[in-house]
Amino acid sequence: QVQLQESGPGLVKPSEILSLTCSVSGGSMSNYHWSWIRQPPGKGLEWIGYIYSSGGTNYNPSLKSRVTTSVDTSKNQFSLKLSSVTAADTAVYYCARGKLLWSSGYYYYYMDVWGKGTTVTVSS
Amino acid sequence: QSVLTQPPSVSAAPGQKVTISCSGSNSNIENNYVSWYQQLPGTAPKLLIYENNKRPSGIPDRFSGSKSGTSATLGITGLQTGDEADYYCGTWDSSLSAGVFGGGTKLTVL
């Protein structure tokens, strides 16, 4: 079965760039919306955005100016970069396999496989 | 402030039934499909319901989903202590062109 694993620094300094990679194993990356979600300590889930297997992207409007994603299907990996981080970006970051479809005027969007999450703390 | 609104907490006794509501608008719930996620303490979220009322393989039929207008509901019957978790609704928002979640509901099985 498909498994996802996040990796990257657990500590990032304010104003620097947060960089994470998600490694995909056990399945193809084709035709999915590879998503990033975060969860600040003690709070709920926040959708960051996705990158489609062919490279198209969509981001949370509140984070759009600071987010960049990339995908490398040959390595079965996709990545997240978040610039100009502050303490408010401290969170558990999850990668997930998403499906976004449009049919008969309705969108279907859900994430059916999740990584275990990685904690990122922004502090000097 | 989440785009979708859920009650912060619900509780019920073992064996009983509980429902968790998720309220949105015509740009999200009313005109798109809803999913639900279960997050057990200290773990990653897990897909529980997709396309309003479908269950992934392995999810027991004690869990059900429904939608009416701008609201969706997750139902859990035959409550077990192992169901204690945070539950999140999610969908696509056509106006924002973004995925959105509810604030989450903590279920306590008394």
Side-chain angles (χ1 to χ4, degrees):
Chain A
Q1 69 281 20
V2 175
Q3 293 184 313
L4 307 182
Q5 178 67 59
E6 305 88 350
S7 60
L11 180 64
V12 182
K13 290 182 168 54
S15 81
E16 295 191 344
I17 297 175
L18 179 160
S19 294
L20 295 175
T21 296
C22 183
S23 298
V24 180
S25 60
S28 170
M29 292 193 72
S30 298
N31 303 318
Y32 289 101
H33 297 76
W34 299 96
S35 304
W36 290 97
I37 303 95
R38 70 180 183 179
Q39 185 171 34
K43 295 188 178 181
L45 303 174
E46 180 180 28
W47 184 78
I48 297 173
Y50 71 68
I51 183 164
Y52 189 58
S53 50
S54 60
T57 59
N58 207 328
Y59 303 134
N60 185 325
S62 69
L63 298 171
K64 190 173 184 177
S65 63
R66 298 194 292 130
V67 173
T68 305
T69 56
S70 60
V71 63
D72 187 338
T73 55
S74 67
K75 293 183 178 179
N76 271 17
Q77 291 180 337
F78 62 106
S79 298
L80 168 73
K81 290 187 187 300
L82 181 65
S83 64
S84 304
V85 297
T86 70
D89 295 309
T90 293
V92 176
Y93 285 75
Y94 296 101
C95 61
R97 187 177 77 172
K99 292 185 180 180
L100 175 62
L101 304 168
W102 187 88
S103 176
S104 303
Y106 296 89
Y107 279 101
Y108 307 61
Y109 181 54
Y110 57 90
M111 286 146 282
D112 63 347
V113 182
W114 293 64
K116 292 182 178 180
T118 188
T119 299
V120 178
T121 301
V122 178
S123 175
S124 55
Chain B
Q1 195 81 357
S2 302
V3 172
L4 307 179
T5 301
Q6 297 180 235
S9 63
V10 296
S11 62
Q16 297 300 303
K17 174 181 177 178
V18 71
T19 60
I20 297 173
S21 62
C22 176
S23 178
S25 68
N26 61 6
S27 68
N28 43 65
I29 290 179
E30 185 168 32
N31 288 299
N32 295 314
Y33 284 80
V34 176
S35 54
W36 289 91
Y37 304 86
Q38 177 192 59
Q39 186 176 32
L40 296 169
T43 70
K46 175 175 125 178
L47 180 65
L48 210 56
I49 297 287
Y50 66 103
E51 294 178 19
N52 296 340
N53 54 19
K54 296 181 180 178
R55 285 174 287 105
S57 174
I59 301 299
D61 59 6
R62 300 189 299 107
F63 295 90
S64 64
S66 63
K67 191 186 87 166
S68 178
T70 59
S71 292
T73 301
L74 173 70
I76 312 173
T77 60
L79 277 172
Q80 303 172 2
T81 55
D83 295 331
E84 286 202 335
D86 293 323
Y87 292 84
Y88 294 89
C89 57
T91 187
W92 187 257
D93 191 294
S94 303
S95 294
L96 297 173
S97 287
V100 291
F101 289 105
T105 299
K106 182 176 181 63
L107 168 64
T108 301
V109 180
L110 302 167

